[in-house]
Amino acid sequence: MGHFEEQLFSQYTGAHPFLYNRYIDDIVGVATGTRQDLESFIQFVGSFSPFLKFTHCISDTSVVFLDLQLSICDRKIKSNLHFKPTDSHNYLLYPSNHPKSCTKSIPYSQLLRARRICSEDSDFSAASKNVLSFFEKRQYPTKILTGTLHRIQGINREEALTRKSNTSTNLRIPLVISHHPSVRPIIRAIYRNVETLRKDPSTRDLFPEPPITAFRVEKNISKHLVRASHPQQPTDNTPGTFPCGRSRCNTCPVVGKNTLINILGSNGNKFSVNQHFTCTSTNLVYILVCGRCNCLYVGETKRRLADRITEHLRSIKQNLQGYRNVETLRHDPSTRDHFPDPPITAFRIEKNISKHLVRASQPQAVVPYTPGTFPCNRGRCNTCPVVSYDKNLSIVGPNNNRFNVHQHFTCTSANVVYVLVCKRCNILYVGETKRRLADRVTEHLRSIKQNLPGFPVATHFNPPSTCSIRE
């Protein structure tokens, strides 16, 4: 493009633009002559090269260049932020699994960009409202957006346009780690205990400053499924036999990968492959080599090599008569005991994703009004493992009275009287609750686990006792 511009301005004899600037393929300029002179220059540029096509826009008030809207006001050029109609503002979602420092820096960078572009404070106020509305649609908290705007408002345009030079030397040791929400406590623990490393004589020289955290980019699902580039195919002049790379080709796995194959003949002569062949090559002589006894089978075919090899593989699988492949295995003394009959290929049915996610059948629900206490079969229910599975549970009281369960109860039943039975000493604990049975039993289990005082069940079922609970 630079060479094109040199030839253009050297050959144009009319009035040149007063200002001419270009960024890659976008050009902006200012002309001080008449409109006719400017149109003549644009017409000359459009017809200068048949390989380049230009579109133009002429205005006496304002013009758009990249993300700038340039206008003339009081004999000065004023700039404002411009959003293209095709810009979707598809910024990173705030709830996404990224470091919060990364998500918080995006609104800051966009507002700082608006501060640098807008030459008037009124234009910056209007542009900042539009920018914040874009981030609100991406679920960014209002508190973060408001705080970021206050930071940018404290920076004037001259300071924002000043290039900052980083001359400080960073001696902090990087802590490279894969980003995950569970690593945040680890990082906080390191910074909280970094003084221990700085005070220790053996490590204080290594950690004069706290380490800096750096997150590596992990592979997402597209990185695992999509290759960055296709494997380079050998040139047509490369000697040897190569896979064709077609899908479901039976010949590619058995093709020799060597670029040059030397085979020792019966007379001690070597035969080298001096041409380029693939599975789709035709009119050739091929050799099958046994990987165990190094026996050779030499054949020729006018068809594609893949078609001929497929016939050999099918003859081995189906034990077709007249093919020496199977007969060699069955009559060879070293293999005939292993292959009295041709091998049979059997394929097992692997579980697909639906088999892993969907159960074949749901657990059979208990018929309503069946007397007894039954599990609710909810996920992560702590009461189901300790619920009695007897359809009719009989408990002998202290006066040898027998109490039978005549109604249907589950872990979600409320307003119940329940009994906890110790399997070891058969001691009973009778309680009542207006809440769900699962909530009350969860409290008992938590009291046992934490050994809370004031809970009779926790006192009885805590070590050194090895008792368990049954309802």
Side-chain angles (χ1 to χ4, degrees):
M1 193 68 180
H3 178 68
F4 169 80
E5 291 172 341
E6 291 180 359
Q7 292 183 341
L8 175 68
F9 285 105
S10 62
Q11 298 182 19
Y12 184 66
T13 58
H16 291 191
F18 174 75
L19 177 65
Y20 179 91
N21 289 322
R22 176 180 58 86
Y23 180 77
I24 305 179
D25 58 348
D26 292 306
I27 302 172
V28 62
V30 177
T32 57
T34 62
R35 188 181 184 91
Q36 184 178 0
D37 295 339
L38 180 59
E39 291 178 351
S40 299
F41 174 75
I42 294 176
Q43 184 179 2
F44 179 79
V45 172
S47 60
F48 187 77
S49 175
F51 304 104
L52 297 177
K53 183 179 180 181
F54 295 89
T55 59
H56 66 278
C57 176
I58 303 175
S59 176
D60 296 332
T61 56
S62 63
V63 67
V64 174
F65 176 66
L66 299 176
D67 57 348
L68 301 173
Q69 184 177 3
L70 303 176
S71 59
I72 299 176
C73 181
D74 297 334
R75 301 180 61 85
K76 294 182 180 179
I77 297 178
K78 185 178 70 173
S79 61
N80 193 8
L81 185 62
H82 171 72
F83 299 105
K84 294 183 178 180
T86 57
D87 192 353
S88 60
H89 306 286
N90 194 17
Y91 301 112
L92 181 68
L93 280 171
Y94 186 81
S96 63
N97 187 18
H98 286 77
K100 292 306 176 184
S101 59
C102 177
T103 54
K104 292 179 181 179
S105 64
I106 298 177
Y108 179 83
S109 63
Q110 294 301 312
L111 290 174
L112 182 62
R113 166 173 158 263
R115 174 75 278 185
R116 291 171 176 171
I117 291 176
C118 298
S119 57
E120 301 292 337
D121 293 339
S122 58
D123 294 337
F124 171 71
S125 299
S128 61
K129 291 181 180 179
N130 293 331
V131 172
L132 294 181
S133 64
F134 300 147
F135 284 101
E136 289 177 355
K137 295 179 181 179
R138 305 300 292 174
Q139 304 179 19
Y140 279 74
T142 306
K143 182 179 179 180
I144 294 178
L145 297 178
T146 305
T148 305
L149 180 60
H150 289 331
R151 290 179 57 191
I152 299 299
Q153 288 176 345
I155 304 175
N156 54 36
R157 188 166 183 258
E158 290 74 14
E159 184 181 356
L161 292 174
T162 303
R163 184 183 296 272
K164 296 181 180 179
S165 58
N166 188 10
T167 58
S168 61
T169 57
N170 193 354
L171 301 178
R172 300 174 65 181
I173 297 177
L175 173 63
V176 182
I177 191 172
S178 299
H179 178 261
H180 193 272
S182 61
V183 304
R184 301 303 302 177
I186 301 176
I187 298 174
R188 287 195 294 266
I190 292 175
Y191 284 105
R192 187 170 56 249
N193 300 288
V194 71
E195 290 297 328
T196 304
L197 298 175
R198 299 177 67 178
K199 293 179 180 179
D200 193 338
S202 60
T203 58
R204 61 186 176 188
D205 295 335
L206 299 176
F207 295 95
E209 296 181 6
I212 184 172
T213 306
F215 296 103
R216 67 169 63 94
V217 179
E218 291 293 332
K219 287 186 177 181
N220 52 19
I221 190 170
S222 64
K223 295 292 185 181
H224 289 282
L225 298 180
V226 181
R227 293 183 179 179
S229 61
H230 294 284
Q232 186 177 3
Q233 297 293 336
T235 59
D236 293 339
N237 297 326
T238 305
T241 307
F242 302 92
C244 62
R246 297 176 303 153
S247 60
R248 299 182 180 180
C249 178
N250 298 325
T251 309
C252 287
V254 296
V255 166
K257 302 298 191 299
N258 297 331
T259 305
L260 186 63
I261 302 176
N262 297 326
I263 299 177
L264 189 63
S266 58
N267 299 326
N269 299 324
K270 291 185 178 181
F271 301 93
S272 301
V273 180
N274 298 323
Q275 297 182 15
H276 180 82
F277 298 96
T278 64
C279 306
T280 58
S281 300
T282 58
N283 298 319
L284 48 82
V285 176
Y286 62 94
I287 297 176
L288 303 181
V289 184
C290 178
R292 183 170 184 177
C293 58
N294 293 325
C295 291
L296 304 181
Y297 175 84
V298 181
E300 60 179 355
T301 180
K302 294 182 180 180
R303 297 175 296 166
R304 296 187 308 175
L305 177 62
D307 299 337
R308 184 57 178 152
I309 297 298
T310 301
E311 287 186 352
H312 285 298
L313 296 176
R314 183 168 60 249
S315 68
I316 296 174
K317 182 178 180 180
Q318 300 180 5
N319 190 18
L320 300 179
Q321 300 296 327
Y323 287 82
R324 296 196 56 185
N325 310 83
V326 178
E327 297 297 327
T328 302
L329 294 175
R330 298 181 65 182
H331 294 90
D332 192 342
S334 60
T335 59
R336 61 187 177 188
D337 295 334
H338 300 282
F339 296 95
D341 294 319
I344 299 176
T345 305
F347 299 95
R348 67 170 63 93
I349 300 177
E350 294 292 339
K351 286 186 177 181
N352 53 20
I353 190 170
S354 64
K355 295 292 185 180
H356 288 281
L357 299 180
V358 182
R359 293 182 179 179
S361 61
Q362 299 293 334
Q364 186 176 3
V366 181
V367 180
Y369 305 109
T370 303
T373 307
F374 303 93
C376 63
N377 292 326
R378 296 177 303 151
R380 300 182 180 180
C381 178
N382 297 326
T383 309
C384 288
V386 296
V387 166
S388 174
Y389 287 80
D390 297 335
K391 293 185 178 180
N392 196 355
L393 181 63
S394 299
I395 300 175
V396 180
N399 299 326
N400 294 326
N401 296 326
R402 188 175 297 273
F403 303 93
N404 297 327
V405 181
H406 298 292
Q407 297 183 15
H408 179 82
F409 297 97
T410 64
C411 306
T412 58
S413 300
N415 298 318
V416 295
V417 176
Y418 61 95
V419 179
L420 304 181
V421 183
C422 178
K423 289 184 177 181
R424 185 174 184 182
C425 54
N426 292 326
I427 294 180
L428 306 181
Y429 176 86
V430 182
E432 61 178 356
T433 180
K434 295 182 179 180
R435 297 177 295 166
R436 296 188 308 174
L437 178 63
D439 299 337
R440 184 56 178 154
V441 173
T442 300
E443 288 185 352
H444 286 299
L445 296 176
R446 183 167 59 249
S447 66
I448 296 172
K449 183 178 180 180
Q450 300 179 4
N451 194 13
L452 300 178
F455 286 81
V457 178
T459 304
H460 180 79
F461 289 97
N462 261 304
S465 175
T466 58
C467 299
S468 60
I469 297 177
R470 180 173 65 90
E471 290 185 295

